[in-house]
Amino acid sequence: MSCLAGVSALITWATSGIGRAAALELSALGAQVALMARGRAALRATGLAVAERGGTAVEIVEDVTDPASVRAAVEHAAAVFGSLDIVVNSAGTAALGPFADGTAQQWQAMVETNLLGALYTAGAAVEHLKAAAAGPRRTADLITIGSVARHAAKAGTGVYAATKSAVASWSEGLRQELEPHGVRVAVIEPGLVDTALTAGLPRGPCGAHRAGRCRRHRLHGHPAPAPCRHAGRSPAYGHGPLSVVGPRPGVARQPRRRHLYRRNARPGCTGLGRRARPLPS
Ligand SMILES: NC(=O)c1ccc[n+]([C@@H]2O[C@H](COP(=O)([O-])OP(=O)(O)OC[C@H]3O[C@@H](n4cnc5c(N)ncnc54)[C@H](OP(=O)(O)O)[C@@H]3O)[C@@H](O)[C@H]2O)c1
């Protein structure tokens, strides 16, 4: 399938997790991709993975917390491709745990990466997106990876959830500003995904992350009253593939969590208290 043939996409945070998956998926759909991250070796590895699948990738070293580095990276990508049709803002970091145990550096890192990193990237790309939307494709996309955490902050996730709430509010304002220019602004708000970001999260007795509370059994953190029916399930239990396509074009997602989970669940699964989704390889 090459429905994105001739389209150029830029992805921040592109060497692992959701950003890498987005890069591979966009490339598989025919887009040429600009991969951005700090690590040169990891960028090379992702670029090779794109090339092995027949795609075209440009690797650009940047740090999303440095506005000058972001602007230079975006300009470089636009110069190489001649335009920028899609920007995926995947940058986001999480220092989870009791607020009283957090440090100023951790709070600063979350605000700088999750909020300011997205602002710097969008700020540098917005004129390119407007120009692309004025071209033959007649549309361009700015997609930011938020988090379902902003709808349901839990103990230990408050600062992270606050940054994702800020991202959602900013995106909604920007969506209204850019709609007349043909630029669609969307926020994708994933639940738990198995990536480096969630690797350190504590897991309950059935192996699912505690942050995703098991409502049916209420096992997490408590002695199990009976063997958990989730035990021994494949890591893919209850989950559909990761989607990198936004909700309806131009509409920032306002998810109804239960509905969202149930739609992906297998029969008999509440969809809650789940294991983290594995990323497609
Ligand atoms: N995982 C989840 O469960 C989950 C759930 C909801 C939302 N999200 C959101 O999804 C997004 C992606 O998360 P993820 O779990 O896929 O992350 P991840 O696997 O931890 O990805 C980290 C990536 O970011 C790059 N990076 C780190 N610091 C950087 C910096 N300062 N500048 C540029 N690149 C940098 C890393 O490469 P280098 O170190 O080489 O730079 C690497 O490519 C985040 O916004 C996160 O909040 C994740």
Side-chain angles (χ1 to χ4, degrees):
M1 199 184 351
S2 55
C3 55
L4 295 182
V7 167
S8 50
L10 177 155
I11 302 107
T12 65
W13 219 256
T15 55
S16 86
I18 294 171
R20 185 178 188 276
L24 293 179
E25 187 73 20
L26 287 166
S27 165
L29 292 173
Q32 42 192 2
V33 291
L35 310 170
M36 299 195 182
R38 293 168 309 178
R40 202 174 288 277
L43 275 169
R44 194 77 276 269
T46 310
L48 283 175
V50 170
E52 273 166 18
R53 292 162 166 83
T56 305
V58 173
E59 301 140 24
I60 306 173
V61 176
E62 61 123 34
D63 183 338
V64 289
T65 62
D66 174 359
S69 151
V70 172
R71 186 161 290 278
V74 169
E75 292 305 327
H76 181 56
V80 170
F81 292 145
S83 69
L84 274 185
D85 300 280
I86 299 173
V87 171
V88 181
N89 249 330
S90 176
T93 186
L96 306 178
F99 179 71
D101 295 347
T103 64
Q105 284 87 349
Q106 289 173 335
W107 304 328
Q108 203 172 343
M110 283 189 275
V111 172
E112 279 186 348
T113 309
N114 304 6
L115 178 59
L116 293 179
L119 265 51
Y120 298 152
T121 308
V126 72
E127 291 305 326
H128 294 293
L129 291 171
K130 281 187 194 173
R137 190 169 168 249
R138 301 179 64 83
T139 191
D141 293 274
L142 173 66
I143 299 161
T144 302
I145 309 297
S147 171
V148 79
R150 79 140 175 137
H151 298 277
K154 298 266 190 299
T157 69
V159 181
Y160 175 72
T163 62
K164 294 299 186 179
S165 293
V167 159
S169 300
W170 158 70
S171 296
E172 174 54 22
L174 187 62
R175 182 188 71 77
Q176 294 175 28
E177 278 178 43
L178 295 185
E179 195 174 26
H181 299 277
V183 180
R184 302 180 293 193
V185 178
V187 181
I188 296 178
E189 298 182 323
L192 281 171
V193 183
D194 242 337
T195 68
L197 191 103
T198 52
L201 285 183
R203 290 168 190 257
C206 67
H209 286 293
R210 267 182 211 173
R213 214 155 35 97
C214 180
R215 274 205 198 160
R216 177 169 285 193
H217 301 288
R218 300 194 186 284
L219 285 179
H220 295 182
H222 307 289
C228 176
R229 62 189 282 275
H230 295 175
R233 295 271 191 158
S234 108
Y237 171 63
H239 307 303
L242 174 74
S243 167
V244 293
V245 180
R248 278 180 295 132
V251 179
R253 173 169 275 179
Q254 303 290 333
R256 293 165 56 203
R257 294 185 63 221
R258 274 172 167 259
H259 168 75
L260 191 72
Y261 287 161
R262 287 208 172 127
R263 197 183 54 199
N264 288 338
R266 290 186 183 164
C269 171
T270 61
L272 299 168
R274 50 211 283 166
R275 290 165 192 269
R277 295 178 193 210
L279 286 166
S281 53

